[in-house]
Amino acid sequence: MKHIGIVGTGAWATTLGILLARTGHETVLWSRSEARATELSKARKNERSVPGVQFPSSMNVSSSLDESFSKSQLVIIAVPSVSVRKNLKDVSDALSYVNSILCATKGIEIESGKRMSQVIMEELPGFSLDNIGVLSGPNLAPEIAAGKISSATIAFPNSHVSESVQSILSSDVFRVYRSQDVKGVELGGALKNIIAIGAGFIDGAGLGANIKATYVTRGLYEITQLGVAMGANRDTFAGLSGMGDLIVTCYSTLSRNYRLGFGLASGKNLQSVVAELGQTVEGAPTTQAAVRLAEQLHIDMPITKATHAVLFEGASPRDVVNDLMVRTLQPENKLHGT
């Protein structure tokens, strides 16, 4: 049995805690709010984020840094990307003796364009880079919390660390693969949320299955181009953290990013749809970050720009899709473009 500290109390943090506790590990969710920690500890479930699922006996919630991390062999970061840096500042002193850190947050910092593992490295400058990794894959929290079978990919720079963390996370309902392409695994999980929003507004606008398939396929090509320009391995985007995660978020109504896009297609604005969902939707800030990165790296990303136009510029889904259809005709395998 391992002791695992998890930073966060949202849907994904709670689900990971439940998953690992069910396999015999001792897990503690760390909450910045003492009141929230007390509430969850008394209820023994998280009705706000993972309704109807009881916490296993070996899972606890605490606002104490010592209780959460002093015995942890592994710490998992599972908070929204916009708050990762703040949370790391709060817990940094408590992570001095932790063996490994695994980031399960799927996003990119808006202003800096940095991946979450880069943010961790900046906030924990004394921590070994070999022991900072990422998790991604087709992982809808409600299904995993309900005990349904899933899989994922983890990536660490050091293969021995990957093997160690892989053995901790793997179970008969959660098959974990390993990689050393930290950039690819991380970017696949983050960037696919952009395309999922677009898939949602295509369905919400009733534009049809054909154009949705086109949008998703060309979207994968587009985010792969950006990932490769940022140093990722192209093949990684054909794996679980790329195509696998993309498919599930674009075609499942459990996906918050998909539901955001669907809501936008009904004429609601971004703020009202996010409020209705009641949870963080990573694709929105990631879209902002991706547009900036594409401009800096001179990558043509028309689908990402179209999603940005719907999210932040008041464009309608039908109009942006029509605009994509009348772009200059070109070969399918053209290096930059759609």
Side-chain angles (χ1 to χ4, degrees):
M1 181 180 74
K2 301 292 185 181
H3 187 286
I4 301 165
I6 300 176
V7 179
T9 58
W12 193 211
T14 302
T15 297
L16 287 170
I18 291 169
L19 174 70
L20 290 164
R22 283 173 177 165
T23 60
H25 298 300
E26 183 182 357
T27 63
V28 180
L29 304 187
W30 178 75
S31 171
R32 290 171 60 189
S33 164
E34 183 176 353
R36 180 64 171 155
T38 300
E39 175 190 350
L40 293 175
S41 295
K42 288 182 177 179
R44 300 299 300 164
K45 57 184 176 180
N46 187 344
E47 282 298 313
R48 183 192 305 173
S49 302
V50 189
V53 182
Q54 292 288 328
F55 294 170
S57 59
S58 60
M59 174 174 160
N60 295 293
V61 185
S62 177
S63 60
S64 164
L65 292 172
D66 183 68
E67 183 180 348
S68 301
F69 306 119
S70 64
K71 297 186 294 181
S72 296
Q73 288 87 10
L74 171 67
V75 166
I76 300 176
I77 310 297
V79 294
S81 59
V82 294
S83 66
V84 164
R85 194 178 290 276
K86 168 60 178 169
N87 276 275
L88 286 169
K89 290 182 186 297
D90 291 341
V91 304
S92 58
D93 291 342
L95 305 185
S96 302
Y97 300 104
V98 170
N99 291 338
S100 303
I101 295 174
L102 181 68
C103 185
T105 299
K106 299 177 180 180
I108 300 174
E109 198 169 51
I110 299 174
E111 295 299 327
S112 68
K114 291 179 177 177
R115 295 173 285 110
M116 293 298 101
S117 64
Q118 292 176 299
V119 174
I120 295 172
M121 292 173 194
E122 285 186 355
E123 295 301 325
L124 304 175
F127 205 90
S128 171
L129 301 187
D130 281 349
N131 293 68
I132 298 173
V134 296
L135 167 73
S136 188
N139 302 142
L140 296 172
E143 289 192 355
I144 295 174
K148 294 185 178 180
I149 295 172
S150 186
S151 59
T153 298
I154 61 167
F156 283 84
N158 186 298
S159 60
H160 297 296
V161 178
S162 279
E163 290 176 11
S164 175
V165 176
Q166 179 186 37
S167 67
I168 294 172
L169 295 178
S170 295
S171 70
D172 57 355
V173 295
F174 195 64
R175 181 174 176 82
V176 179
Y177 294 82
R178 65 180 184 271
S179 169
Q180 288 181 265
D181 183 16
V182 175
K183 292 179 181 178
V185 170
E186 193 165 19
L187 289 170
L191 295 172
K192 64 91 178 54
N193 287 328
I194 302 169
I195 312 305
I197 293 172
F201 65 61
I202 284 175
D203 281 354
L207 298 178
N210 289 324
I211 192 59
K212 180 178 177 181
T214 301
Y215 197 95
V216 172
T217 303
R218 296 304 297 174
L220 176 60
Y221 176 82
E222 191 170 293
I223 64 176
T224 301
Q225 293 303 106
L226 179 60
V228 171
M230 294 176 68
N233 186 325
R234 182 180 297 274
D235 290 344
T236 302
F237 288 84
L240 289 172
S241 60
M243 184 184 296
D245 208 352
L246 179 72
I247 290 171
V248 77
T249 52
C250 288
Y251 285 87
S252 173
T253 56
L254 292 176
S255 164
R256 279 173 275 172
N257 290 283
Y258 173 89
R259 284 184 285 159
L260 172 61
F262 198 97
L264 291 171
S266 69
K268 300 174 183 177
N269 61 34
L270 176 62
Q271 291 73 25
S272 63
V273 179
V274 170
E276 287 177 9
L277 291 173
Q279 295 176 312
T280 300
V281 184
E282 289 287 9
T286 299
T287 300
Q288 293 176 289
V291 167
R292 293 183 182 184
L293 287 167
E295 291 174 352
Q296 293 169 9
L297 296 169
H298 307 292
I299 303 296
D300 188 20
M301 299 186 73
I303 286 176
T304 299
K305 289 181 179 177
T307 303
H308 188 279
V310 174
L311 285 171
F312 303 108
E313 300 166 33
S316 76
R318 189 176 294 277
D319 286 346
V320 298
V321 171
N322 287 340
D323 289 343
L324 289 170
M325 292 298 291
V326 297
R327 282 169 52 83
T328 302
L329 299 177
Q330 56 195 258
E332 183 179 17
N333 64 350
K334 187 175 183 289
L335 184 59
H336 298 301
T338 299

